[in-house]
Amino acid sequence: MSAGRYESHYLRAVDPARPRGAWIRHTSHQRPGQAATGALWCTVWDAEAGPPYAVKESLPSPAFPESRFFAGRASAGGRTAAWELEPAGSEPALRHLPRAWMYRAALPRTKPESPLPDAVFTGWIEFGGQRVEVAGWRGMVGHNWGAEHAERWVWLHAVGFEQAPGAWLDVAMGRVRVAGRTTPWIANGAVALDGSRLRVGGIGRVRSTRVDARPGALDAVVGGADATIRVSVAAPLDQTVAFVYGDPGGGEHHALNCSIAQVRLRVERPGRPAVELATAFGGAYELGLRETDHGVPVQPFPDP
């Protein structure tokens, strides 16, 4: 038995033509002194048809080949989903934390990365008796792990910007507990624009980072060495799912996710005109919080 930890491999994909999307995860979870368990999660959105469809199947162990979450099946509580998706993409991996040693050190306690920050998916998804063919859906492949969830966090990914079809945004923001106190918001990530990857955030940019994150909406300014971004997100609560996230050390968060969110983005680069971008439903907005009065029904699946 080892110390508490968690790990998640996940993907998100969105239809470029209409507000449909998917968020699929394979997770492992371990409390201190206990055996590790696993889970498969699948959420599918079709805003034109109704609310999102979600299922999470708990597994007795985390022994699940990493690559297999691209093709799998989950059943629980009378709900079933199956999928077979293949990602393609040439973008180098994005490691959100700005220094390699941060991925080896005890702090920060959450380690995020995107092995494929920009991907195109083909395949199919079946859920609730329906089958959706996936062709040319944009998205990403992500991975995170650690000993503790942030006290409050935001993960934001966006593609499908009308003004710059090849652009993407991938940023993790968090407030963490250190020595009994909660830090200000710290952001790390990148925006890809005009063939260049621009780093944003970092410890040295805390004073230039302002985040107003709430259920259904986000307004943030994140400075960076390469650019400053100003971002606004609208995520309808009726198109948001809420899951219980168990903390490895005890306690829990609620994670609210809308993977068909509207995103407006302003990118400011030194010596160049600002660029305004918008996507009607190409964003994924996840908010992790301890409050339970957020107004989104919690999915009936425990964690772990």
Side-chain angles (χ1 to χ4, degrees):
M1 305 290 182
S2 62
R5 71 184 304 274
Y6 73 93
E7 185 168 13
S8 174
H9 295 272
Y10 58 96
L11 66 86
R12 60 93 37 158
V14 62
D15 186 339
R18 45 188 285 211
R20 300 190 300 178
W23 176 46
I24 297 171
R25 310 172 66 223
H26 168 233
T27 61
S28 63
H29 186 281
Q30 185 174 25
R31 290 260 165 85
Q34 298 182 14
T37 60
L40 276 173
W41 320 51
C42 180
T43 305
V44 184
W45 284 262
D46 185 345
E48 296 173 356
Y53 183 97
V55 60
K56 175 193 172 188
E57 180 177 353
S58 296
L59 306 172
S61 80
F64 192 87
E66 175 183 327
S67 62
R68 278 198 52 210
F69 82 98
F70 294 122
R73 180 182 180 88
S75 297
R79 305 181 196 176
T80 299
W83 59 92
E84 187 172 311
L85 298 170
E86 183 172 347
S90 58
E91 279 280 351
L94 169 66
R95 283 203 144 187
H96 297 73
L97 302 179
R99 300 287 184 268
W101 61 263
M102 293 180 172
Y103 286 89
R104 302 187 299 269
L107 293 174
R109 297 187 182 93
T110 296
K111 320 292 188 185
E113 65 178 4
S114 297
L116 272 177
D118 182 26
V120 177
F121 290 87
T122 57
W124 53 267
I125 306 172
E126 293 180 348
F127 61 99
Q130 304 178 57
R131 181 182 174 101
V132 173
E133 300 297 328
V134 174
W137 288 25
R138 288 276 299 284
M140 57 83 68
V141 177
H143 177 212
N144 59 49
W145 68 97
E148 182 180 286
H149 294 302
E151 183 66 16
R152 195 176 184 92
W153 75 82
V154 165
W155 171 64
L156 179 62
H157 185 268
V159 292
F161 294 107
E162 299 173 11
Q163 303 81 359
W168 54 264
L169 173 70
D170 191 335
V171 179
M173 313 175 192
R175 301 188 66 194
V176 300
R177 296 281 291 177
V178 178
R181 297 188 177 187
T182 304
T183 69
W185 283 97
I186 302 169
N188 288 285
V191 56
L193 181 64
D194 299 332
S196 298
R197 182 179 296 192
L198 310 171
R199 295 286 311 197
V200 297
I203 295 293
R205 303 287 175 169
V206 171
R207 291 185 178 180
S208 62
T209 295
R210 298 189 297 277
V211 179
D212 178 10
R214 55 204 185 278
L218 168 73
D219 291 288
V221 178
V222 181
D226 300 325
T228 293
I229 61 170
R230 302 175 186 273
V231 61
S232 177
V233 177
L237 294 185
D238 63 355
Q239 291 297 326
T240 298
V241 292
F243 281 101
V244 172
Y245 272 29
D247 296 319
E252 62 186 32
H253 283 78
H254 284 184
L256 280 54
N257 187 295
C258 175
S259 286
I260 52 169
Q262 179 190 84
V263 177
R264 295 186 179 277
L265 174 66
R266 179 183 174 92
V267 183
E268 301 171 354
R269 293 169 287 182
R272 302 186 65 174
V275 177
E276 303 273 359
L277 304 175
T279 178
F281 47 81
Y285 172 48
E286 179 178 298
L287 172 63
L289 69 178
R290 290 199 184 275
E291 301 96 299
T292 59
D293 57 350
H294 42 69
V296 181
V298 180
Q299 296 297 315
F301 308 110
D303 192 44

